[in-house]
Amino acid sequence: MPSTPDVRSELVRVPVQHTGERVAEVATVLRFAGGLHSISGRIALEAELFTPQIVQRVRKDLAELYGVRSEPKQLSPSSTRAGAPQFLVRVLDGETLARQLGLLDQRRRQIRGLPNRLTTGAPAELAAILRGAFLARGTLTPPGRSASLEIVCPTNEAAMALQGAASRIGVQAKNREIRGQHKLVIRDSEMIGEALGAMGAAENRATWDELRLARETRATANRLVNFDDANLRRSAQASVAACARVERALEILGDSVPEHLRYAGELRLKFREASLDDLGARADPPLTKDAIAGRIRRLLAMADKEAQVRSVPGTEASLPDELDAM
């Protein structure tokens, strides 16, 4: 079953050759996983990451794309909570890099969203943005009642920018503020599969789709079973009601009931669980479904009319309490 570590493990192995895609991914990772800090008067760029593999990928991109040397560090257990990032990548004298990545504006202020040149890029670059955001702060909840793909965003502007980038590659997501955190949220199981595929997690997407389809098939089968059960219950109740009314009709009419109507009523009582088609087939000579239903209907109407004349309870008086509404 796909999980957050499984998806991260696959995404961190996605080969990316095009420079624009690598820039989009690493810039998004640093924007979502880190921030700019002033250390001894210098602007440092830091990012807290989950696995050594993600650390290695980010450091490689920084070195090959920008010639920047970064420092890796494992955070002490006392400084991290359960499930929090365990590793830190730091670039001292990171102002030039931050400007190159588009994380700083001309006034040396950190941008609120994502660099505009990234969110207006080609589809492959938009997919790289989504992949970088998931590597930085994404989680996946397996298929089930509460399946979801969520990415924690540093600001509402960043969430809106990520939502726009995702929608341009066919991934429909929502921007939500949950317990004080801005998140990009996808709860539709089919759309989660689309997101996994867009990011490059083909293996996890295939497993996800397989589990999703299996679950939907089970749900459909359960609905059909419940539907059949309901139909059977209704048929049984209708049979009980019909037999109770026929018994009362024969009691009211006594010897005055016409023979062909008596025959239909007795046939109904003899084969209580049979359908009208079955009753017609069992008649001698055979009758159609409409013919047998018509005779039973006339029998009940004749008995109810006679009961009214005699001021005695009609055929419905014999129904069990739970079938009074029928």
Side-chain angles (χ1 to χ4, degrees), residues 234-252:
R234 282 194 291 270
S235 296
Q237 290 173 338
S239 177
V240 170
C243 290
R245 293 190 66 191
V246 166
E247 286 180 338
R248 176 60 180 162
L250 294 177
E251 179 183 337
I252 294 172

Side-chain angles (χ1 to χ4, degrees), residues 91-147:
V91 177
L92 296 173
D93 290 325
E95 181 172 349
T96 300
L97 173 63
R99 290 182 181 277
Q100 290 174 320
L101 290 170
L103 303 181
L104 270 184
D105 64 16
Q106 294 180 348
R107 297 184 180 181
R108 301 182 74 213
R109 297 176 304 189
Q110 183 169 332
I111 63 168
R112 296 284 300 169
L114 282 170
N116 185 62
R117 66 172 182 269
L118 298 185
T119 56
T120 57
E125 294 172 357
L126 298 175
I129 290 175
L130 195 59
R131 180 170 59 249
F134 190 92
L135 286 172
R137 289 296 180 269
T139 57
L140 176 69
T141 304
R145 190 178 297 273
S146 59

Side-chain angles (χ1 to χ4, degrees), residues 242-281:
C243 290
R245 293 190 66 191
V246 166
E247 286 180 338
R248 176 60 180 162
L250 294 177
E251 179 183 337
I252 294 172
L253 295 174
D255 295 336
S256 65
V257 60
E259 188 59 33
H260 68 294
L261 300 186
R262 178 188 297 278
Y263 180 70
E266 291 176 345
L267 200 63
R268 172 76 281 176
L269 296 178
K270 183 177 181 180
F271 303 103
R272 292 175 176 265
E273 297 182 0
S275 67
L276 291 174
D277 280 327
D278 290 339
L279 288 181

Side-chain angles (χ1 to χ4, degrees), residues 72-248:
K73 178 182 177 182
Q74 183 167 1
L75 300 175
S76 61
S78 60
S79 64
T80 61
R81 63 187 185 280
Q86 303 293 315
F87 303 91
L88 177 72
V89 171
R90 175 184 294 159
V91 177
L92 296 173
D93 290 325
E95 181 172 349
T96 300
L97 173 63
R99 290 182 181 277
Q100 290 174 320
L101 290 170
L103 303 181
L104 270 184
D105 64 16
Q106 294 180 348
R107 297 184 180 181
R108 301 182 74 213
R109 297 176 304 189
Q110 183 169 332
I111 63 168
R112 296 284 300 169
L114 282 170
N116 185 62
R117 66 172 182 269
L118 298 185
T119 56
T120 57
E125 294 172 357
L126 298 175
I129 290 175
L130 195 59
R131 180 170 59 249
F134 190 92
L135 286 172
R137 289 296 180 269
T139 57
L140 176 69
T141 304
R145 190 178 297 273
S146 59
S148 67
L149 187 152
E150 298 183 358
I151 298 175
V152 178
C153 305
T155 63
N156 183 48
E157 291 84 352
M160 293 174 63
L162 185 61
Q163 180 184 18
S167 67
R168 284 192 282 276
I169 54 174
V171 176
Q172 302 304 315
K174 295 182 179 180
N175 176 11
R176 293 283 186 267
E177 184 175 352
I178 303 173
R179 292 187 291 277
Q181 290 184 319
H182 296 284
K183 293 184 178 184
L184 184 81
V185 180
I186 306 175
R187 300 205 186 279
D188 180 77
S189 291
E190 185 174 356
M191 193 53 61
I192 291 175
E194 292 292 333
L196 292 173
M199 291 188 293
E203 294 178 8
N204 279 280
R205 193 256 172 93
T207 304
W208 178 275
D209 286 344
E210 182 179 342
L211 291 172
R212 176 179 62 82
L213 291 173
R215 182 173 180 272
E216 290 177 356
T217 300
R218 286 196 300 272
T220 300
N222 289 337
R223 282 196 297 271
L224 290 174
V225 168
N226 292 337
F227 179 76
D228 289 342
D229 286 346
N231 281 342
L232 289 173
R233 285 194 297 272
R234 282 194 291 270
S235 296
Q237 290 173 338
S239 177
V240 170
C243 290
R245 293 190 66 191
V246 166
E247 286 180 338
R248 176 60 180 162

